[in-house]
Amino acid sequence: MTAPIIRLRNVVKTFGDFTAVDDLSLDIDAGELFCLLGGSGSGKSTLLRMLAGFESPDSGTIEIDGKDMRGVDPADRPVNMMFQSYALFPHMTVAENVGYGLRRMGLAKAEVATQVAEMLRLVKLEALAQRKPHQLSGGQRQRVALARALARKPKVLLLDEPLSALDKKLREDTQFELMNIFDATGTTFIVVTHDQEEAMVLATRIAVMDAGKFVQVDTPRQLYEFPKTRFVADFIGNINLLEATVTGPGRSEGLAALHCEALGAVEAACDGEVPPAGAHVWLAVRPEKIALSTDTAAPGYDAVVDDLGYRGGDTQYRLRTASGAALKVTKPNTERQGQRPVDWDTPVRIAFAPEAALVLRQ
Ligand SMILES: Nc1ncnc2c1ncn2[C@@H]1O[C@H](COP(=O)(O)OP(=O)(O)OP(=O)(O)O)[C@@H](O)[C@H]1O
Ligand SMILES: [Mg+2]
């Protein structure tokens, strides 16, 4: 086991009487692509700026590569930061922008040229080396900023909303490029984003932040399949959260039997121990894990289609259960059909495997 590249212990940052970063402890391993995910104002940029050395914590410690960073200047840290609004120097060419940090380090001209060429190859911008930033597309500018941040070969690259200026399609392409560059360099990346899909695509692990705290730190799959709280369940993807009471253990190991106002008797999986009978919990089911049938004799629960949204690749249904509760169900449109399979006001039956549903206690 190697020591973590980043080690935070009880890091606190306040601005006046406002606590922006609230007692964070975390280890990040070398070679991770770690995402900080959270709503606006949750403290993501503040944490990144403390890692870069532009802010210092009020208390707690930040170690990078085994060294305490207290009092260490940004320029002397083994990190580099790509800012939320990646400001390129407008009067410099692409090549000059990428080489800026290297020239400031006092590298010889020939050495700078070699390394700039290597970086431009990495981000596939060799052909545009002599252009100025205003002659580039948004995605190309983003790649110049990335090459500039990588040029000094930091051990850790901090990226604050690196793709936020790009439109959806370009953003998705650039996510894959960013992952390729990450693979090619072996640098540890810490990426801030408020886009949960982006975090899911990019990250080895994600820290979900809320009000300056980490609410859960896990792999994308674990966050999606086993959120620990309703906040995380709702923040990552779409989910149905229904109030329920535990009536006892379920029919097999790890399942709880519940009574749920919206559906009646249900069983669902527990991440950990089955809560005691009488415990007030929430039943959490992802919309794509619910089967929908127009056969009114099918097993499951009665519902009616209240509303539907055709999105091309899938259709989102808003259902109403017999007790009047709202439920979201998503179905992939795997076949081209002239008619919608299930229309407004259609009575349907819905069902889900107990293992596909999760019991949440908070
Ligand atoms: N220099 C400062 N002085 C006072 N308050 C600040 C300062 N910097 C940040 N804050 C506050 O700290 C909180 C966290 O800010 P931060 O920039 O870390 O949020 P963020 O998670 O990056 O949000 P966004 O997604 O909008 O970029 C916010 O409420 C912000 O107003
Ligand atoms: Mg920010």
Side-chain angles (χ1 to χ4, degrees), residues 44-45 84 160-161 192:
K44 307 178 299 292
S45 294
Q84 195 156 0
D160 197 350
E161 302 272 1
V192 164

Side-chain angles (χ1 to χ4, degrees), residues 15 18 20 38-47 55 84 160-161 192 194:
F15 296 107
F18 178 78
S40 190
S42 57
K44 307 178 299 292
S45 294
T46 304
L47 177 56
E55 303 275 4
Q84 195 156 0
D160 197 350
E161 302 272 1
V192 164
H194 59 253

